[in-house]
Each structure stands twice: as structure tokens, then as C-alpha cells.
């Protein structure tokens, strides 16, 4: 290996060291297929200088949910998830990919209402490790200690009353909520020893600001699906076109309670 090459590599690993904090949250990916597949899943941090790339072979059998869990990821940064179905000969499919577009990694769930066969279920959840809070899992608050004094941890990492209550003893119901865009009103004590709380808004994905009034700039529709076949074989290509035309199905892992 040449000297110049070495220098480039060490520059990027240095850059990586400077930019990354220890992961404070993880990703969980669920897949379901209507056919036996030799699928692979690739996950990396960042999209411009992909680092920490990990690849899994995920054999799928019909109607069984496969779960990849506890995969540490960097929050507040873009990430890559690439699912490759592997071949499905009888429909002329060489492989299909489900690829993440740009997103801002935060606590969220990605599950389209409909997906393309051969997959019948697809879902990604981003979650914080225990005691880390907020959309980017960067606010620390010990939940056991909070519960001991009848408090919960807010998205700011501060203490607040249990959901739906406020006041010095957390006895007053919350009635006067002024959060926008389905933000949820919670109480917060600025300091752990305060007895006077105020109401703050915990925002759904896509919104931020004190009243959840601002749309998050970085959030984008996150998934694209591509099917790949062999154009040189007319028979296979026809099969794939027919397959594609009928391939949109309901996502069995879609959960409409969200
Ligand atoms: C998966 O790979 C194994 C080993 O290469 C092969 O025997 C099997 O037929 C493949 N299954 C599918 C569904 O492609
Ligand atoms: C907690 O977050 C809200 C916005 O959701 C903000 O208005 C409030 O000032 C924050 N509290 C502290 C103590 O930083």
C-alpha cells in the first residue's frame, strides 16, 4: 500500500473519531416475505462517508417475521439502510432493494402502509438505550430514580410529573394544552428540587420548537424501492414486468395505532 493511500485512510479514520459519539440508541428492523429469500441487510452511519458498515445475511421463510435488533446507530445524523431481497427466479427478479433516502436519525418508526413483493412486511424502529431521552437520545435522566419520587424523565432529560398531570405534587390534571401539530403537553421541573413546574411540548417526528410549530427541515420521505432484472432475456423481463405490476401489497407490519 502506498504512502499516499495510508495518509488518506488515517485522515478519514481521524475524522470519524472526531465526529462520532458513543451510540445512545439503536435500530430494530423487521422483515417479512411471501417467498423463501436469501436477503441481506446493510447498515452504515452517515451517507457521505459511510462508516461502521455492517452486513447481515437474513434468510427469510414465508410468513415468519425476522427481527434484527439492538443495532447501535448514530443519532442526529443521516444513516443508510439497504435491504436486498436476493433472487426470485420464478418472477424474473434478480434482486429488489429497499433503500433509505436521506433521513435525520432520531427516535422514530419507519413503516410504509404499502410495500412491494417479495416483501410483505417492513418496519424500522429507532429507540434510545435506557436512561437516554429526547429525539436524538442525547439527554440523560435516570428513570428508576425519577420513578422513586413519582416523576418521569422528559425529552429534555429533566424531571416532570407522570403523563397528564402537573403541579407541585403532580395531582392536577393537565387541561390547558397549547401544543401544535399533535405535540403532547407534559410538565417539567427545570431543576430537580423545584416545586413549581411548567408545561412543555413533546413533539412528534417532523416537528420541533417550543410549541411544535416548526417543521423539521431535514426530514424527508425515507424509502425507495427498486426491482432489478435481466433485460437481455425477453422472457424474464416480461415476467418481471408482470410481477412488478401486481407487486404492491399492504404492509403486514404496519401499525395504525401510531
Ligand atoms: C439461498 O442460498 C443457498 C446457498 O447458496 C441456496 O442453496 C438456496 O437455494 C438459496 N435460497 C433461495 C431462496 O434463493
Ligand atoms: C425543555 O424543552 C422545551 C421545548 O420542548 C423548552 O421550551 C424548555 O425550555 C426546555 N427546558 C429546559 C430546562 O431546557
Amino acid at each position: 500500500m502506498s504512502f499516499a493511500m495510508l495518509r488518506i485512510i488515517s485522515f478519514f479514520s481521524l475524522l470519524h473519531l472526531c465526529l462520532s459519539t458513543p451510540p445512545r440508541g439503536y435500530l430494530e428492523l423487521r422483515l417479512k416475505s411471501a417467498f423463501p429469500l436469501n436477503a441481506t441487510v446493510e447498515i452504515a452511519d452517515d451517507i457521505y462517508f459511510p462508516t461502521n458498515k455492517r452486513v447481515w445475511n437474513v434468510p427469510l421463510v414465508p410468513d415468519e417475521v425476522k427481527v434484527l435488533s439492538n443495532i447501535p446507530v448514530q443519532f442526529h445524523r443521516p444513516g443508510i439502510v439497504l435491504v436486498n431481497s436476493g433472487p426470485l427466479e420464478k418472477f424474473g427478479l434478480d434482486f429488489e432493494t429497499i433503500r433509505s433516502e436521506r433521513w435525520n436519525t432520531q427516535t422514530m418508526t419507519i413503516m410504509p402502509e404499502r410495500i412491494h413483493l417479495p416483501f410483505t412486511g417492513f418496519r424500522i424502529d429507532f429507540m434510545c438505550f435506557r436512561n437516554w431521552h429526547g429525539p436524538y437520545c442525547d439527554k440523560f435522566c435516570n428513570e428508576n430514580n425519577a420513578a422513586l419520587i413519582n416523576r418521569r424523565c422528559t425529552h429534555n432529560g429533566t424531571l416532570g410529573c407522570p403523563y397528564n398531570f402537573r403541579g407541585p405534587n403532580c395531582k392536577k390534571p393537565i387541561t390547558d394544552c397549547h401544543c401544535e401539530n399533535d405535540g403532547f403537553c407534559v410538565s417539567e421541573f427545570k431543576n430537580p428540587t423545584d416545586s413549581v413546574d411548567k408545561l412543555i411540548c413533546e413533539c412528534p417526528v417532523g416537528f420541533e420548537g417550543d410549541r411544535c410549530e416548526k417543521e423539521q427541515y431535514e426530514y424527508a420521505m425515507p424509502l425507495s424501492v427498486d426491482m432489478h432484472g435481466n433485460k437481455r432475456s425477453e422472457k424474464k423481463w416480461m415476467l418481471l414486468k408482470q410481477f412488478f405490476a401486481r407487486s404492491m401489497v399492504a404492509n403486514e407490519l404496519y401499525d395504525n395505532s401510531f
Side-chain angles (χ1 to χ4, degrees):
M1 194 184 293
S2 76
F3 179 64
M5 190 73 171
L6 268 175
R7 275 221 312 233
I8 291 167
I9 289 169
S10 57
F11 172 72
F12 282 117
S13 43
L14 202 66
L15 192 72
H16 180 219
L17 276 180
C18 299
L19 290 176
S20 56
T21 48
R24 280 147 187 179
Y26 61 98
L27 173 161
E28 225 167 70
L29 183 134
R30 288 179 166 71
L31 278 179
K32 201 172 164 185
S33 161
F35 306 93
L37 294 176
N38 284 331
T40 57
V41 173
E42 190 180 309
I43 294 174
D45 293 324
D46 220 320
I47 45 182
Y48 304 111
F49 298 109
T51 52
N52 195 19
K53 186 170 118 175
R54 291 147 291 171
V55 181
W56 288 263
N57 293 320
V58 184
L60 294 171
V61 294
D63 297 323
E64 217 172 82
V65 182
K66 268 282 163 66
V67 188
L68 294 182
S69 188
N70 252 305
I71 300 162
V73 286
Q74 294 286 335
F75 279 67
H76 209 350
R77 297 258 299 277
I80 300 174
V81 172
L82 178 67
V83 178
N84 184 322
S85 69
L88 194 58
E89 295 290 337
K90 64 178 161 184
F91 297 114
L93 182 70
D94 286 348
F95 63 99
E96 173 180 309
T97 53
I98 306 178
R99 177 190 298 276
S100 60
E101 297 297 343
R102 201 163 63 98
W103 67 45
N104 180 14
T105 303
Q106 57 182 304
T107 49
M108 63 180 173
T109 293
I110 293 173
M111 50 179 183
E113 256 180 88
R114 297 167 71 70
I115 51 167
H116 278 281
L117 289 173
F119 298 104
T120 52
F122 180 90
R123 172 178 175 146
I124 303 178
D125 295 282
F126 294 92
M127 287 171 284
C128 299
F129 289 135
R130 194 166 168 75
N131 296 329
W132 290 97
H133 303 273
Y136 304 123
C137 304
D138 55 353
K139 303 287 193 292
F140 186 84
C141 169
N142 187 305
E143 281 165 50
N144 289 343
N145 294 353
L148 283 177
I149 53 169
N150 188 33
R151 299 273 194 268
R152 66 177 279 271
C153 294
T154 73
H155 71 304
N156 285 342
T158 48
L159 295 178
C161 291
Y163 282 122
N164 302 318
F165 291 95
R166 65 171 308 178
N169 304 311
C170 300
K171 292 260 159 65
K172 276 201 271 180
I174 292 178
T175 50
D176 47 348
C177 182
H178 299 289
C179 303
E180 295 174 28
N181 296 310
D182 290 328
F184 199 75
C185 272
V186 298
S187 103
E188 172 184 68
F189 298 90
K190 204 164 176 220
N191 299 300
T193 52
D194 285 358
S195 60
V196 179
D197 62 345
K198 70 169 192 175
L199 290 183
I200 59 169
C201 298
E202 292 188 337
C203 306
V205 176
F207 295 96
E208 59 190 9
D210 284 352
R211 307 235 157 280
C212 308
E213 74 284 5
K214 278 189 276 186
E215 257 184 71
Q216 276 179 335
Y217 170 70
E218 291 165 284
Y219 192 67
M221 274 311 288
L223 295 175
S224 69
V225 174
D226 289 300
M227 287 189 183
H228 302 263
N230 189 343
K231 247 183 165 158
R232 276 165 303 188
S233 154
E234 200 170 324
K235 186 162 159 270
K236 276 182 77 180
W237 192 244
M238 280 305 294
L239 274 175
L240 183 59
K241 275 184 12 192
Q242 286 167 7
F243 178 63
F244 181 74
R246 294 178 284 116
S247 66
M248 213 38 173
V249 294
N251 183 359
E252 289 174 25
L253 300 177
Y254 181 78
D255 166 5
N256 59 15
S257 67
F258 266 70

